[in-house]
Amino acid sequence: MRHVSRRAMLAGAALTAGLCRPAIAQGAPLKVGMMLPFSGTYAALGENIAAGFELLIAENDGKLGGRAVTLIRLDDESDPAKAPANVNRLTERDNVDVLLGTVHSGVVMALVQAAREKEIPLFIPNAGNVAATRDLCSPHVFRSSFSNWQPAYGMGRALAARGVKKAAWVTWDYAAGKESGEGFRDGLRDGGAEMTHLLTVPFPETNFQPVLAQISGLGVEAVGSFFAGGGAIQFVKDYAASGLRATIPLCGSGFLTEGVLKPQGAAAEGIQTALHYGDGLDNAKNVAFRTAFKAKTTRDADVYAVQGYDAGQMLAAGLTATKGDAAAAMAFAAAIRAARIDSPRGAFTLSASHNPIQTIWLREARDGQNKVIGIAAKDLADPGTGCKMAGA
Ligand code: BEZ
């Protein structure tokens, strides 16, 4: 039997009963379900993603691709156990047209599943879970951020290029930590070096003493790391306090120091990280974006704000091509795939599996900024392994 989507059935039933005309003909606003962490260790990340997305809408007089937008906010608490029920609320109770979410790689899987099964477009403005743009890729799923593999791969390459031969990866024990460890391992390997150890701490725990106690005995020349938000603040402080930095430098995916340099203070000074964004990127779009973001929020922009803004730009590209109809799946996806997104990070396009192809910058924390000091990997695409989608 031909698969009929829930939305097609709802529309069919309503039309049969003579209850409605197509929403777009009535000029109904597009409902975007914004599922992000607004509490817990990733709360600041969720707030900046939301603010970046809202900034783009405000710059376009409340519209995207010519269609008015209504936002429904839902706090997912970065809790994978609550994710299926949260997604269901948005799709079944609130009947959203588009999903935007989320930060945590475990939570995003419920959104990916809903997008695939219910054929609702999903824009991922952070979570790097590689499956979303590898085995579970879909015409309905688009990422404006990164795969967990990308920034860490860049860091591994940069370390190897500096002559480091052996390094360890320290991280939270969940998909983002482990997959970024794989990127780090691959980057080191491609540069002729080796990742010898993977040390983990349960998410979102911040008792790092047991792993810190092991590091000096590992025989490594550097430690790479994935932590973000509140956990990154604590890890960087604890690493500095342990005295390890004098002999075994700390580096990582850029989330380690992104948006958290103020609370990290002197403990972060000199830490090198790799990310698809950095402070001082000198392009006109970035300068304008940072000014507008600061004026709107009184906060400095960071990668999370950029990813929210760019999710809005991608959605706008799809809506412009379909005259506001996000359910016109083929034309909507084709337009986003063909778009060149004029991002504050530098313009990017999507790979065939819908993940940004982007430069990974090498940065160093200096005087409260993640200053770009070089390129870790130019125009880097995630391998997209296992993606079976027409054109991928
Ligand atoms: C993740 O879970 O994918 C993630 C969370 C915070 C920063 C980067 C990645």
Short mmCIF file of all heavy atoms in Angstrom, two decimals, residues 42 45 78 102-108 126-130 143 146-148 172 174-177 179 203 226-229 253 255-256 275 303-304 307, ligand 1:
data_model
loop_
_atom_site.label_atom_id
_atom_site.label_comp_id
_atom_site.label_asym_id
_atom_site.label_seq_id
_atom_site.Cartn_x
_atom_site.Cartn_y
_atom_site.Cartn_z
N TYR A 42 22.91 22.80 28.79
CA TYR A 42 22.93 23.38 27.44
C TYR A 42 21.95 24.55 27.27
O TYR A 42 21.66 24.96 26.14
CB TYR A 42 22.61 22.30 26.40
CG TYR A 42 23.72 21.27 26.18
CD1 TYR A 42 23.43 20.03 25.63
CD2 TYR A 42 25.04 21.54 26.50
CE1 TYR A 42 24.43 19.08 25.41
CE2 TYR A 42 26.04 20.59 26.29
CZ TYR A 42 25.74 19.37 25.74
OH TYR A 42 26.73 18.43 25.51
N LEU A 45 23.05 27.53 25.14
CA LEU A 45 23.17 27.18 23.72
C LEU A 45 21.80 27.29 23.05
O LEU A 45 21.66 27.86 21.96
CB LEU A 45 23.70 25.75 23.56
CG LEU A 45 25.17 25.47 23.88
CD1 LEU A 45 25.57 25.80 25.30
CD2 LEU A 45 25.57 24.04 23.54
N SER A 78 17.45 18.75 27.33
CA SER A 78 18.52 17.84 26.91
C SER A 78 18.32 16.45 27.50
O SER A 78 19.28 15.78 27.89
CB SER A 78 19.90 18.39 27.32
OG SER A 78 20.19 19.54 26.59
N THR A 102 17.65 19.99 17.57
CA THR A 102 17.89 20.56 18.87
C THR A 102 19.39 20.64 19.11
O THR A 102 20.16 20.53 18.15
CB THR A 102 17.20 19.74 19.99
OG1 THR A 102 17.40 20.39 21.24
CG2 THR A 102 17.67 18.30 20.06
N VAL A 103 19.82 20.66 20.37
CA VAL A 103 21.25 20.75 20.70
C VAL A 103 21.87 19.38 20.94
O VAL A 103 22.95 19.08 20.46
CB VAL A 103 21.43 21.65 21.95
CG1 VAL A 103 22.84 21.51 22.53
CG2 VAL A 103 21.12 23.10 21.61
N HIS A 104 21.18 18.51 21.68
CA HIS A 104 21.76 17.26 22.20
C HIS A 104 21.60 16.12 21.18
O HIS A 104 20.50 15.88 20.66
CB HIS A 104 21.03 16.94 23.51
CG HIS A 104 21.55 15.75 24.25
ND1 HIS A 104 21.34 14.45 23.82
CD2 HIS A 104 22.26 15.66 25.40
CE1 HIS A 104 21.89 13.61 24.69
NE2 HIS A 104 22.45 14.32 25.65
N SER A 105 22.69 15.42 20.94
CA SER A 105 22.72 14.36 19.92
C SER A 105 21.81 13.18 20.23
O SER A 105 21.40 12.47 19.31
CB SER A 105 24.15 13.83 19.75
OG SER A 105 24.82 14.54 18.76
N GLY A 106 21.51 12.95 21.50
CA GLY A 106 20.58 11.87 21.83
C GLY A 106 19.15 12.31 21.61
O GLY A 106 18.32 11.57 21.06
N VAL A 107 18.84 13.54 22.00
CA VAL A 107 17.47 14.06 21.88
C VAL A 107 17.08 14.21 20.41
O VAL A 107 15.92 13.98 20.04
CB VAL A 107 17.37 15.42 22.61
CG1 VAL A 107 15.99 16.03 22.42
CG2 VAL A 107 17.67 15.24 24.10
N VAL A 108 18.03 14.56 19.57
CA VAL A 108 17.68 14.85 18.17
C VAL A 108 17.12 13.62 17.44
O VAL A 108 16.39 13.74 16.47
CB VAL A 108 18.89 15.44 17.40
CG1 VAL A 108 19.84 14.36 16.90
CG2 VAL A 108 18.42 16.29 16.22
N ASN A 126 22.03 22.44 15.73
CA ASN A 126 23.24 22.11 16.49
C ASN A 126 23.57 20.63 16.45
O ASN A 126 24.57 20.24 15.90
CB ASN A 126 23.17 22.59 17.94
CG ASN A 126 24.51 22.41 18.64
OD1 ASN A 126 25.45 23.17 18.38
ND2 ASN A 126 24.68 21.39 19.45
N ALA A 127 22.74 19.80 17.10
CA ALA A 127 23.09 18.40 17.38
C ALA A 127 23.84 17.74 16.22
O ALA A 127 23.35 17.68 15.10
CB ALA A 127 21.83 17.61 17.69
N GLY A 128 25.04 17.22 16.55
CA GLY A 128 25.92 16.73 15.49
C GLY A 128 25.82 15.24 15.22
O GLY A 128 26.64 14.69 14.46
N ASN A 129 24.84 14.54 15.84
CA ASN A 129 24.72 13.09 15.67
C ASN A 129 24.91 12.70 14.20
O ASN A 129 24.12 13.08 13.33
CB ASN A 129 23.34 12.63 16.16
CG ASN A 129 23.28 11.14 16.35
OD1 ASN A 129 23.77 10.38 15.51
ND2 ASN A 129 22.72 10.70 17.46
N VAL A 130 25.93 11.91 13.93
CA VAL A 130 26.28 11.64 12.53
C VAL A 130 25.18 10.89 11.79
O VAL A 130 25.03 11.05 10.57
CB VAL A 130 27.64 10.89 12.40
CG1 VAL A 130 28.79 11.73 12.91
CG2 VAL A 130 27.61 9.53 13.07
N ARG A 143 20.65 20.02 8.09
CA ARG A 143 21.43 20.48 9.24
C ARG A 143 22.12 21.80 8.90
O ARG A 143 22.76 21.91 7.85
CB ARG A 143 22.45 19.42 9.63
CG ARG A 143 23.23 19.76 10.86
CD ARG A 143 23.54 18.60 11.77
NE ARG A 143 24.21 17.50 11.11
CZ ARG A 143 24.28 16.28 11.63
NH1 ARG A 143 23.72 16.01 12.79
NH2 ARG A 143 24.91 15.32 10.99
N PHE A 146 26.79 21.12 11.95
CA PHE A 146 28.03 20.34 11.76
C PHE A 146 27.68 18.89 12.06
O PHE A 146 26.67 18.61 12.71
CB PHE A 146 29.11 20.81 12.76
CG PHE A 146 28.61 20.72 14.17
CD1 PHE A 146 28.79 19.56 14.92
CD2 PHE A 146 27.87 21.74 14.73
CE1 PHE A 146 28.27 19.44 16.20
CE2 PHE A 146 27.32 21.62 16.01
CZ PHE A 146 27.55 20.47 16.74
N SER A 147 28.51 17.96 11.62
CA SER A 147 28.44 16.60 12.19
C SER A 147 29.49 16.56 13.29
O SER A 147 30.51 17.25 13.21
CB SER A 147 28.72 15.53 11.13
OG SER A 147 30.12 15.45 10.89
N ASN A 148 29.26 15.75 14.30
CA ASN A 148 30.22 15.67 15.42
C ASN A 148 31.63 15.38 14.93
O ASN A 148 32.61 15.78 15.55
CB ASN A 148 29.78 14.57 16.41
CG ASN A 148 28.55 14.99 17.20
OD1 ASN A 148 28.43 16.15 17.59
ND2 ASN A 148 27.64 14.06 17.42
N TRP A 172 32.19 13.43 27.41
CA TRP A 172 31.00 12.82 27.97
C TRP A 172 30.67 11.55 27.20
O TRP A 172 30.88 11.48 25.98
CB TRP A 172 29.80 13.78 27.86
CG TRP A 172 29.65 14.73 29.00
CD1 TRP A 172 29.78 14.45 30.33
CD2 TRP A 172 29.29 16.11 28.91
NE1 TRP A 172 29.52 15.58 31.07
CE2 TRP A 172 29.22 16.61 30.23
CE3 TRP A 172 29.01 16.98 27.86
CZ2 TRP A 172 28.88 17.93 30.52
CZ3 TRP A 172 28.67 18.28 28.13
CH2 TRP A 172 28.62 18.76 29.46
N TYR A 174 28.35 9.97 25.53
CA TYR A 174 27.14 9.87 24.69
C TYR A 174 27.56 10.17 23.26
O TYR A 174 28.73 10.43 23.00
CB TYR A 174 26.00 10.76 25.22
CG TYR A 174 26.03 12.23 24.84
CD1 TYR A 174 25.18 12.73 23.85
CD2 TYR A 174 26.89 13.13 25.47
CE1 TYR A 174 25.17 14.07 23.51
CE2 TYR A 174 26.88 14.49 25.13
CZ TYR A 174 26.02 14.94 24.15
OH TYR A 174 26.01 16.27 23.81
N ALA A 175 26.60 10.11 22.33
CA ALA A 175 26.94 10.14 20.90
C ALA A 175 27.89 11.28 20.53
O ALA A 175 28.87 11.06 19.80
CB ALA A 175 25.67 10.22 20.07
N ALA A 176 27.62 12.49 21.01
CA ALA A 176 28.44 13.64 20.59
C ALA A 176 29.90 13.45 21.00
O ALA A 176 30.82 13.75 20.23
CB ALA A 176 27.89 14.93 21.18
N GLY A 177 30.11 12.94 22.20
CA GLY A 177 31.47 12.73 22.69
C GLY A 177 32.19 11.65 21.92
O GLY A 177 33.35 11.81 21.51
N GLU A 179 31.40 10.29 18.92
CA GLU A 179 31.55 10.55 17.48
C GLU A 179 32.61 11.62 17.22
O GLU A 179 33.33 11.57 16.22
CB GLU A 179 30.21 10.95 16.87
CG GLU A 179 29.21 9.81 16.85
CD GLU A 179 27.81 10.22 16.49
OE1 GLU A 179 27.56 11.43 16.28
OE2 GLU A 179 26.94 9.33 16.44
N PHE A 203 27.18 11.70 30.95
CA PHE A 203 26.53 12.99 30.71
C PHE A 203 25.40 13.17 31.72
O PHE A 203 24.66 12.23 31.96
CB PHE A 203 25.95 13.03 29.28
CG PHE A 203 25.20 14.30 28.99
CD1 PHE A 203 25.87 15.41 28.51
CD2 PHE A 203 23.81 14.38 29.18
CE1 PHE A 203 25.17 16.60 28.24
CE2 PHE A 203 23.13 15.56 28.92
CZ PHE A 203 23.81 16.66 28.45
N PHE A 226 35.80 16.91 24.01
CA PHE A 226 34.49 17.47 23.71
C PHE A 226 33.73 17.63 25.01
O PHE A 226 33.42 16.64 25.69
CB PHE A 226 33.66 16.57 22.78
CG PHE A 226 32.20 17.00 22.75
CD1 PHE A 226 31.78 18.00 21.90
CD2 PHE A 226 31.28 16.47 23.63
CE1 PHE A 226 30.46 18.45 21.92
CE2 PHE A 226 29.95 16.90 23.67
CZ PHE A 226 29.55 17.90 22.80
N PHE A 227 33.49 18.88 25.40
CA PHE A 227 32.49 19.25 26.39
C PHE A 227 31.89 20.56 25.89
O PHE A 227 32.51 21.26 25.07
CB PHE A 227 33.10 19.45 27.79
CG PHE A 227 33.58 18.16 28.42
CD1 PHE A 227 34.94 17.86 28.47
CD2 PHE A 227 32.67 17.26 28.94
CE1 PHE A 227 35.38 16.67 29.03
CE2 PHE A 227 33.11 16.06 29.50
CZ PHE A 227 34.45 15.76 29.54
N ALA A 228 30.71 20.89 26.36
CA ALA A 228 30.07 22.14 25.92
C ALA A 228 29.25 22.69 27.08
O ALA A 228 28.97 21.98 28.06
CB ALA A 228 29.18 21.87 24.71
N GLY A 229 28.87 23.97 26.96
CA GLY A 229 28.00 24.60 27.95
C GLY A 229 28.61 24.55 29.35
O GLY A 229 29.82 24.74 29.55
N SER A 253 37.29 20.09 20.19
CA SER A 253 36.26 20.67 19.33
C SER A 253 35.97 22.04 19.93
O SER A 253 35.97 22.19 21.15
CB SER A 253 34.97 19.84 19.39
OG SER A 253 35.14 18.60 18.78
N PHE A 255 33.55 23.69 20.81
CA PHE A 255 32.52 23.87 21.84
C PHE A 255 33.12 23.98 23.23
O PHE A 255 32.51 24.50 24.15
CB PHE A 255 31.53 22.69 21.78
CG PHE A 255 31.10 22.40 20.38
CD1 PHE A 255 31.58 21.29 19.71
CD2 PHE A 255 30.27 23.27 19.71
CE1 PHE A 255 31.23 21.03 18.40
CE2 PHE A 255 29.91 23.03 18.39
CZ PHE A 255 30.39 21.92 17.74
N LEU A 256 34.35 23.48 23.37
CA LEU A 256 35.04 23.51 24.66
C LEU A 256 35.18 24.93 25.20
O LEU A 256 35.16 25.15 26.42
CB LEU A 256 36.43 22.86 24.49
CG LEU A 256 37.23 22.61 25.75
CD1 LEU A 256 36.52 21.61 26.66
CD2 LEU A 256 38.63 22.10 25.40
N LEU A 275 36.77 24.74 14.97
CA LEU A 275 35.32 24.90 14.81
C LEU A 275 35.02 25.59 13.49
O LEU A 275 35.90 26.21 12.89
CB LEU A 275 34.76 25.72 15.99
CG LEU A 275 33.26 25.61 16.25
CD1 LEU A 275 32.84 24.19 16.63
CD2 LEU A 275 32.80 26.57 17.35
N VAL A 303 28.82 30.53 17.93
CA VAL A 303 28.46 29.58 16.87
C VAL A 303 27.00 29.16 16.96
O VAL A 303 26.35 28.90 15.94
CB VAL A 303 29.39 28.35 16.90
CG1 VAL A 303 29.04 27.39 18.02
CG2 VAL A 303 29.39 27.62 15.56
N TYR A 304 26.45 29.09 18.18
CA TYR A 304 25.07 28.64 18.34
C TYR A 304 24.11 29.65 17.72
O TYR A 304 23.14 29.27 17.04
CB TYR A 304 24.76 28.40 19.82
CG TYR A 304 25.80 27.51 20.46
CD1 TYR A 304 26.73 28.00 21.39
CD2 TYR A 304 25.92 26.17 20.09
CE1 TYR A 304 27.71 27.19 21.95
CE2 TYR A 304 26.90 25.35 20.63
CZ TYR A 304 27.80 25.87 21.56
OH TYR A 304 28.78 25.07 22.10
N GLN A 307 24.24 29.24 13.97
CA GLN A 307 23.53 28.06 13.48
C GLN A 307 22.01 28.27 13.48
O GLN A 307 21.31 27.77 12.59
CB GLN A 307 23.90 26.85 14.35
CG GLN A 307 25.36 26.46 14.17
CD GLN A 307 25.92 25.50 15.21
OE1 GLN A 307 27.02 25.03 15.06
NE2 GLN A 307 25.17 25.21 16.27
C1 BEZ B 1 25.60 17.40 20.64
O1 BEZ B 1 25.06 16.74 21.56
O2 BEZ B 1 25.56 17.02 19.47
C2 BEZ B 1 26.29 18.69 20.97
C3 BEZ B 1 25.97 19.37 22.12
C4 BEZ B 1 26.60 20.57 22.39
C5 BEZ B 1 27.54 21.09 21.52
C6 BEZ B 1 27.87 20.39 20.37
C7 BEZ B 1 27.25 19.17 20.10
#
